[in-house]
Amino acid sequence: MWLSSVKFINCQSRQDLQQPKLASTGLIEVSLARVHLATIMKKIEAIIRHHKLDAVKEALMGAGIQGMTVAETRGYGGQHASPEVYRGAEYAVDFLPRVKVEVLVDDHECDAAVGVIAKAARTGQVGDGRIMVSKIEEVVRVRTGESGASAL
Amino acid sequence: MKKIEAVLRHYKLEDVKNALTQAGITGMTVTEVRGFGRQRGHKETYRGAEYTVDFLPKVKLEVVVPDAEAAKAIETITTVARTGQIGDGKIFVTALAEVVRIRTGETGSEAI
């Protein structure tokens, strides 16, 4: 049991948090560390094509990830300002419409969620979008005031 | 510095804005968003057919505050935006690496 706890910490040590010292690891220290680690949350922002929104939503629900926020955005990436011809005139279309999906997940679900989104949103053409992950320090549910992982 | 993002009901925006201003926190960015949470929206019947309304309209408010004021801002938003019903929204807090005021080039907490 002790060993499995230590392994748990080791596999989390990639995350840049204060890693507990293993040399003097006592059981109490381990369990405190687990509580601390359990509350790490990530925000995944994905900029995707409009017609992929439903596929991404279904895929995330299928993976057991609930809740998302969606906003309309415009942007461009590496291939910006590709000229488009409309009725004979050439236009530089640099800001293309996309949707931004934001999902909050527990740290251990993060890689799986990113994989799910990337797979569901891919067409293979230029303009499939980007996925960005950031660390969230705190989450509060407005209705109840709960914070941390229980508010996800 | 912290960035506080709060997804709220539309009609609470004005109240939250006033409460934050009173608490000495000025400046905010607001975006229209759609989203859903644990409840996955709700079912609605229209002309006999049932539809799931999953993406509900909300506003997202972003405020940047110095570390010392973050707790106060979260508290203010939570108290004011609460109705007690499902769909009150969520607040997310992230640490900011840098803030720059474009006009003057000031950085850090002077730029907030």
Side-chain angles (χ1 to χ4, degrees):
Chain A
M1 184 254 159
W2 188 85
L3 259 183
S4 68
S5 313
V6 172
K7 230 187 267 165
F8 181 86
I9 288 171
N10 268 334
C11 71
Q12 291 285 330
S13 63
R14 266 174 281 129
Q15 321 304 332
D16 43 339
L17 23 100
Q18 319 91 312
Q19 198 197 348
K21 286 184 186 68
L22 285 178
S24 64
T25 301
L27 266 183
I28 297 164
E29 232 179 297
V30 171
S31 55
L32 279 177
R34 296 186 88 158
V35 171
H36 180 64
L37 288 169
T39 58
I40 289 175
M41 294 154 287
K42 293 277 174 77
K43 178 172 73 176
I44 303 173
E45 286 172 84
I47 294 171
I48 59 170
R49 298 175 193 272
H50 281 81
H51 72 270
K52 287 291 186 180
L53 178 61
D54 262 352
V56 168
K57 189 188 84 184
E58 300 297 328
L60 283 173
M61 278 184 168
I65 291 153
Q66 294 170 326
M68 58 165 66
T69 308
V70 180
E72 302 283 326
T73 50
R74 292 177 304 140
Y76 61 85
Q79 299 272 324
H80 72 101
S82 57
E84 233 169 60
V85 184
Y86 179 70
R87 297 197 171 182
E90 231 181 43
Y91 297 92
V93 187
D94 44 8
F95 287 111
L96 298 165
R98 290 285 183 271
V99 281
K100 186 163 82 170
V101 178
E102 288 179 33
V103 202
L104 280 143
V105 292
D106 208 84
D107 188 44
H108 68 269
E109 295 174 315
C110 186
D111 288 352
V114 170
V116 162
I117 297 172
K119 202 174 144 206
R122 184 172 301 151
T123 68
Q125 305 299 305
V126 169
D128 273 356
R130 292 264 189 302
I131 301 176
M132 294 155 285
V133 180
S134 43
K135 199 195 285 175
I136 293 287
E137 302 201 324
E138 187 162 21
V139 179
V140 180
R141 186 187 305 263
V142 174
R143 172 166 52 87
T144 56
E146 291 167 83
S147 59
S150 64
L152 276 184
Chain B
M1 293 152 291
K2 304 265 193 221
K3 181 169 75 172
I4 300 171
E5 287 172 79
V7 178
L8 307 169
R9 298 177 193 273
H10 278 84
Y11 69 88
K12 286 287 187 183
L13 179 63
E14 198 69 13
D15 296 348
V16 170
K17 188 192 83 187
N18 293 338
L20 284 175
T21 312
Q22 266 190 0
I25 295 155
T26 47
M28 57 173 66
T29 310
V30 177
T31 341
E32 298 283 326
V33 293
R34 293 172 298 142
F36 62 90
R38 282 264 151 87
Q39 296 280 310
R40 302 183 181 184
H42 55 88
K43 287 232 160 51
E44 240 173 51
T45 316
Y46 178 71
R47 298 197 170 181
E50 217 178 54
Y51 298 91
T52 318
V53 185
D54 43 10
F55 287 114
L56 299 166
K58 297 273 186 239
V59 282
K60 186 168 82 173
L61 180 147
E62 290 173 45
V63 222
V64 176
V65 294
D67 285 357
E69 285 180 39
K72 186 174 70 180
I74 296 167
E75 175 68 35
T76 307
I77 298 171
T78 317
T79 325
V80 176
R82 181 177 299 158
T83 67
Q85 304 300 303
I86 282 167
D88 273 355
K90 285 210 177 63
I91 301 173
F92 323 127
V93 185
T94 32
L96 287 188
E98 184 67 291
V99 177
V100 180
R101 172 167 298 142
I102 293 176
R103 173 168 52 85
T104 57
E106 290 165 278
T107 55
S109 44
E110 290 168 22
I112 293 179

